Each structure stands twice: as C-alpha cells, then as structure tokens.
Amino acid sequence: MKNQSLRFKIFVSCTVAAAITLAILSAAERAAKIKLGGRNISPDYVRFMSYGYEFETVSTKKNYLITVTDGGKPARIHIFTVDCDKKTLDILELPPDSYIFADGFIGTLSEAFETSVYRQLVSAALCLRIDGAASFDAKTFGDCAELLKAETESKNKKREVKSVYGERISKKGGSYSSGDEDCVLEYRRLLASMLEKICEKGAVESFSLLLNLIVNRVDTNMTIEDIAEAADGAVGIKPENIFIRLACGRPADFSGKRIWALDPEKTAELLNLHFRVKDTEYPAESLGIPDISAGKIFYKNLPERAADIID
C-alpha cells in the first residue's frame, strides 16, 4: 500500500507539473504571435526570384534579424546566422546609421525600421533570406545580461553585469558613426559574454531562463515554436565557434546627416564568406548598398571570435 500511495503521489505531481508547463507554453505562444507591425509579407524567395536571384533549395543556415531599440528607434541591429550542422553562429553587426537602398527605399536602417517592411528591406539590401525577426528595448537587453550573469572587466577584474549597465551600453548605437571605438568594443565584449553564458548554460536552459522576457517584452513575428526551434538549432554551439563581425564601412557625412557608409565590395565579401550557404555568392552590385565615399575601413582589426573578444 505504501508503494501504491507513493506512486500515486508521484503521478499527481507529474500531472500537475505537466499541466502548468502546458499552460505556460500556451500563453507564451499566444503572446509570441504578435507581428512586427505587419512586416511579414510574401516570402523573400518569391521576390528574389523575380529579381533574378537564386537561393539553394536546401540550406542548413537560419538567419534572424535582432534589433535592440532605444525610445522606439534602433540602437543595435544584428543578423544572427546559425549553421545547424556545423554548429557555428555568425553575427553581423549592422550600425543603425548604415545607408541602404531597396525596393524604392533610400535611407538608413533606423529610417527603414520606421516602415512596415523593415525586415524585407534589410533582406533585399543584403540579398539574404531572413527566417525570423525580433526587437526589444535596451532595458530588456540589460535585464537579459543580468539574468545570464554576463561579465565585464573593471580594473582587470571580472564583475557580473547589472541591468542598468547593459541598458546604458546597448543604447549607444551612434558610437559607430561617431568613431567611438571604446564604446564599440565595450558593447562587443558584453554581447560576447552573454553568448558565452548561453553556451555554458545550454540553449534550452537559457531559453527557459529568459522565457518571461521573451513572452512579455519581445516584439516578434516568430511563434514560441519558432523560437524553440531556433534555440534547438543553437544547441552544441561553443564560444570558439561564435563570431561577431562588424559590417565593413566608415563614418561619413551624407545628405545632411552622419551615416555609416557600408563598403559594397567588402560587405559583399563578408556576406559571401560567412553568412551564405555554400556556393551561393552575390557581387557588390547586387546589394542595396550605395558606394558613397572612399576611405579607410574603420575598426577593421577588431577580434571577431567571441572567445577572443572576451579575452
């Protein structure tokens, strides 16, 4: 009888836990179905085919557009490219002041964000399929850094990041075009540390840890299943296989404003080498990047491997 009673208690406990988990996931799914302002239009491959582009029919790479905002405007913009087979993560760091043209739009990425087709404009400008997009404010970025126990160095001593620090650093998106290299480096160290902590905890545990923030404070066109699939694809990625690559360019004054002038040739090379599937390349003239000004590439010697950025 004692064994039967024990088994019954275990059964009840498991049933209750399962019911609670199901309720949480159901609520999460409903919340995650919020669209990015109607930004999910016809599939990108349909438009690209009409332009004469061709993508491989099968790809192990998934590309996600991640935007951190400040006051409703982009402060940090990234493309996260996960190779599910090779277990690598390449992050393209795009300054918000980057100047692009696509589908009749001409302006900065910050200005593109204000349109209803932000995701599509980024996709067309880079000739890169985007599988999902998400945006959240700098406060959420800081809270993520604190929850993950990300670290930064202060007087050669590592200390855990507090939310207010992560928020402050992520807001300084103008540092690229202002030439503030210290700020650029500081943000990259923090992002690399956050990614390292995700690797240490594992994608599934990290996803569970950040679930409340994802559900309540992330604006996305992805369902909870999409997010879980992305987390699953990242399982097994190690810090030495994570790279943060700044889009090649330089600060410039153009059309009455300070911008980040992407270098068409070097950006095309970067995308072809690290963000596209094998044997798929696009020349510089295919990209929606105007050749605005000649000059030296800024920040070209930055370490790119996450493990090296942290060290």
Side-chain angles (χ1 to χ4, degrees):
M1 292 293 293
K2 289 184 178 180
N3 289 338
Q4 289 180 342
S5 176
L6 178 60
R7 285 197 296 270
F8 178 73
K9 289 180 179 179
I10 293 174
F11 171 76
V12 171
S13 298
C14 291
T15 302
V16 171
I20 292 172
T21 301
L22 179 61
I24 292 173
L25 291 177
S26 297
E29 179 179 2
R30 288 193 298 272
K33 286 182 178 178
I34 299 173
K35 301 295 182 181
L36 273 170
R39 293 167 193 168
N40 190 18
I41 59 173
S42 61
D44 292 323
Y45 73 87
V46 174
R47 295 187 308 105
F48 284 129
M49 287 177 67
S50 70
Y51 297 156
Y53 301 151
E54 293 182 2
F55 285 119
E56 280 191 355
T57 54
V58 178
S59 171
T60 58
K61 288 190 175 183
K62 296 286 186 178
N63 306 309
Y64 303 98
L65 175 60
I66 309 298
T67 305
V68 181
T69 63
D70 176 26
K73 296 183 178 181
R76 306 285 177 174
I77 301 173
H78 324 77
I79 300 288
F80 279 58
T81 298
V82 179
D83 191 315
C84 304
D85 287 340
K86 293 182 178 180
K87 294 301 176 184
T88 61
L89 171 61
D90 285 283
I91 299 170
L92 179 64
E93 196 177 358
L94 288 161
D97 294 332
S98 297
Y99 209 79
I100 65 166
F101 65 89
D103 293 350
F105 170 86
I106 301 175
T108 65
L109 290 178
S110 287
E111 292 166 339
F113 186 78
E114 298 175 3
T115 74
S116 62
V117 288
Y118 169 59
R119 170 184 170 184
Q120 284 72 25
L121 292 175
V122 175
S123 178
L126 301 180
C127 297
L128 193 70
R129 183 185 62 248
I130 294 178
D131 299 284
S135 65
F136 46 89
D137 62 22
K139 175 66 166 61
T140 300
F141 180 88
D143 289 347
C144 286
E146 184 168 329
L147 282 172
L148 291 168
K149 299 185 184 301
E151 295 177 332
T152 187
E153 287 194 5
S154 177
K155 295 182 180 179
N156 298 321
K157 291 183 179 179
K158 288 189 175 182
R159 60 181 176 84
E160 286 188 8
V161 169
K162 297 301 181 184
S163 177
V164 64
Y165 172 83
E167 179 181 0
R168 177 175 61 82
I169 295 305
S170 65
K171 283 183 174 181
K172 297 183 177 181
S175 57
Y176 306 98
S177 53
S178 69
D180 188 347
E181 185 170 359
D182 288 340
C183 187
V184 171
L185 291 171
E186 192 173 12
Y187 174 74
R188 290 165 64 84
R189 281 193 293 267
L190 177 55
L191 179 58
S193 178
M194 291 171 68
L195 295 168
E196 181 185 53
K197 294 300 180 182
I198 289 175
C199 290
E200 289 177 0
K201 297 177 186 300
V204 175
E205 181 183 340
S206 299
F207 172 69
S208 300
L209 181 66
L210 302 175
L211 181 61
N212 183 57
L213 292 179
I214 293 172
V215 169
N216 295 301
R217 291 160 62 180
V218 174
D219 186 12
T220 181
N221 71 322
M222 302 167 66
T223 65
I224 200 71
E225 288 90 349
D226 294 333
I227 298 171
E229 181 183 353
D232 183 63
V235 171
I237 296 178
K238 299 178 181 180
E240 57 265 30
N241 293 324
I242 297 176
F243 302 85
I244 303 174
R245 309 181 191 276
L246 178 61
C248 307
R250 63 191 69 81
D253 292 311
F254 183 75
S255 191
K257 51 193 167 187
R258 191 70 168 171
I259 66 163
W260 182 257
L262 293 165
D263 184 289
E265 292 290 341
K266 293 189 179 298
T267 300
E269 181 181 353
L270 182 67
L271 290 168
N272 291 336
L273 280 175
H274 303 294
F275 295 90
R276 304 200 191 284
V277 294
K278 185 179 179 181
D279 299 327
T280 301
E281 295 186 357
Y282 294 100
E285 55 267 25
S286 295
L287 304 180
I289 298 176
D291 194 357
I292 292 174
S293 63
K296 68 176 183 177
I297 300 297
F298 267 55
Y299 319 123
K300 64 179 180 179
N301 294 320
L302 295 178
E304 294 183 332
R305 191 187 302 270
D308 296 333
I309 293 172
I310 295 170
D311 293 339

